[in-house]
Amino acid sequence: SRAKMAGGGETVRNKQVVLKNYVEGFPKETDMEVKTSSISLKVEEGSNAVVVKNLYLSYDPYMRMRMTFNEDPAYPSYIIGSPLQGLGVAKVVDSGHPAYKKGDLVWGITRWEEYTLLNNPQVLFKIHHTDVPLSYYTGILGMPGITAWGGFHQVCAPKKGEYVYISAASGAVGQLVGQFAKLMGCYVVGSTGTKEKVELLKNKLGFDDAFNYKEEHDLVAALKRCFPEGIDIYFENVGGKMLDAVLANMRNRGRIGVCGIISQYNLSQPDGIYNFANVVYKQIRIEGISVSNYFPQYSQFLETVLRSIQEGKIVYVEDIAEGLENAPSALVGLFSGRNLGKQVVLVAQE
């Protein structure tokens, strides 16, 4: 599988997961295919690029939007026939960039393949702390972690003793928001989609209460049962009917931080909202959460969260699929809630 190129660079076979066609409705494994191409492990002379060996790849719900044809510059469509792009942890194999050298561990945007040539390596974060699992840099110490930390503390502006509700609470972001809220002295309830995940929230992640939304015929009543006094903060990951039920249960001057709306990504006709008048009556603030706002504070975030991990104050649950060939199945499973915790794909051991 290895050969020498004319320029002296070593060429290897490179397994990739490419988009076969744009997705309608729920993604299927057949919307992607695993192909093999080849890649040089050397960067061109004088180039600023780096070649990395991908170790872990992250599947995050926002990627679903990029699997549909759209012209939104925030979530540009993937190119049919090309590897998917997403966050990952990688090891530098060769570098023309002064900031990176062979052997460096990094996390950032990469492609769904064994090796990737990155022409814009300044978007990568160097990994200096390796006393935690490297996969954590796709989750608790990566994009989901910063999203949870910045979104909860800055957008939701929590105060001790407040009532906090989190939907999709066992996912990559939700499980962290719940733990950050408990560390602040809040009362925390989460919803999720299986009995096993409800137990996980209550027994392992320290939530005060949790419920399985699939077993509730009336979400407004379910939230009223969990929050007889109403909700101060809603960390929104789901949208649709859940958001509508929350609006009926918010307290005066409540805050809703909108991180995602996973229930809506696969619908051609999004759900309507009927309880919106409560935003006026109860002076509710609704604000979107964008991770890019918090990247400048990454070193402060990292120091805080690493300390919490080392002191045993925060735990993180991952669902690791092994092998690039299993990546399409893991991706599809995210939308049926098959994953237990943060979905990660192990491509290669370091």
Side-chain angles (χ1 to χ4, degrees), residues 259-279:
C259 176
I261 47 170
I262 197 169
S263 73
Q264 305 300 294
Y265 297 150
N266 299 306
L267 304 182
S268 53
Q269 190 63 47
D271 291 328
I273 300 294
Y274 301 92
N275 292 318
F276 204 72
N278 286 310
V279 174

Side-chain angles (χ1 to χ4, degrees), residues 11 18 49 89 92 109 133 164 167 185 189 195 212 258 296 312 326 330 335 341:
T11 305
V18 306
V89 172
V92 176
I109 294 286
V164 176
S167 55
V189 179
K195 186 172 181 288
N212 179 353
V258 183
N326 292 314
F335 290 97

Side-chain angles (χ1 to χ4, degrees), residues 156-164 185-188 232-233 255:
C156 299
K159 295 190 275 294
K160 186 179 179 179
E162 287 195 311
Y163 298 109
V164 176
C186 298
Y187 180 81
V188 183
D232 291 298
I233 290 171
R255 285 87 70 206

Side-chain angles (χ1 to χ4, degrees), residues 39-270:
I39 185 172
S40 167
L41 296 185
K42 285 274 178 216
V43 298
E44 283 185 16
E45 201 73 39
S47 152
N48 251 355
V50 298
V51 176
V52 297
K53 177 184 183 180
N54 294 310
L55 307 177
Y56 291 95
L57 294 173
S58 170
Y59 185 68
D60 298 292
Y62 79 87
M63 292 169 67
R64 169 62 185 83
M65 294 183 269
R66 300 191 63 188
M67 297 176 82
T68 304
F69 180 74
N70 71 72
E71 290 171 333
D72 181 349
Y75 294 105
S77 297
Y78 291 133
I79 297 163
I80 288 174
S82 291
L84 301 184
Q85 273 184 325
L87 288 154
V89 172
K91 189 173 190 171
V92 176
V93 175
D94 191 33
S95 172
H97 195 285
Y100 304 96
K101 63 182 191 302
K102 183 177 177 176
D104 281 351
L105 291 165
V106 294
W107 75 267
I109 294 286
T110 184
R111 296 193 192 93
W112 280 36
E113 54 190 358
E114 290 173 293
Y115 296 92
T116 300
L117 172 69
L118 295 168
N119 291 310
N120 187 20
Q122 47 269 43
V123 298
L124 297 172
F125 290 86
K126 262 195 196 176
I127 294 173
H128 299 290
H129 300 274
T130 53
D131 51 343
V132 291
L134 281 180
S135 54
Y136 276 18
Y137 289 92
T138 67
I140 185 171
L141 299 177
M143 186 274 288
I146 315 171
T147 304
W149 182 77
F152 183 62
H153 290 295
Q154 295 182 27
V155 174
C156 299
K159 295 190 275 294
K160 186 179 179 179
E162 287 195 311
Y163 298 109
V164 176
Y165 172 54
I166 303 152
S167 55
S170 65
V173 174
Q175 60 172 302
L176 289 172
V177 176
Q179 294 179 85
F180 292 151
K182 286 306 299 172
L183 290 174
M184 284 280 310
C186 298
Y187 180 81
V188 183
V189 179
S191 61
T192 187
T194 68
K195 186 172 181 288
E196 185 186 10
K197 291 178 184 180
V198 167
E199 293 306 312
L200 178 80
L201 293 178
K202 293 200 287 194
N203 300 332
K204 183 160 186 177
L205 299 172
F207 282 57
D208 294 291
D209 203 356
F211 66 91
N212 179 353
Y213 71 90
K214 292 176 183 169
E215 291 178 354
E216 302 291 345
H217 304 296
D218 182 343
L219 288 173
V220 174
L223 290 171
K224 185 91 183 146
R225 183 182 76 230
C226 293
F227 295 99
E229 318 238 333
I231 299 166
D232 291 298
I233 290 171
Y234 173 41
F235 200 95
E236 164 70 298
N237 291 308
V238 167
K241 295 177 176 68
M242 186 62 82
L243 173 60
D244 212 30
V246 167
L247 286 169
N249 279 282
M250 289 296 287
R251 299 181 79 182
N252 231 23
R253 295 195 177 276
R255 285 87 70 206
I256 298 177
V258 183
C259 176
I261 47 170
I262 197 169
S263 73
Q264 305 300 294
Y265 297 150
N266 299 306
L267 304 182
S268 53
Q269 190 63 47

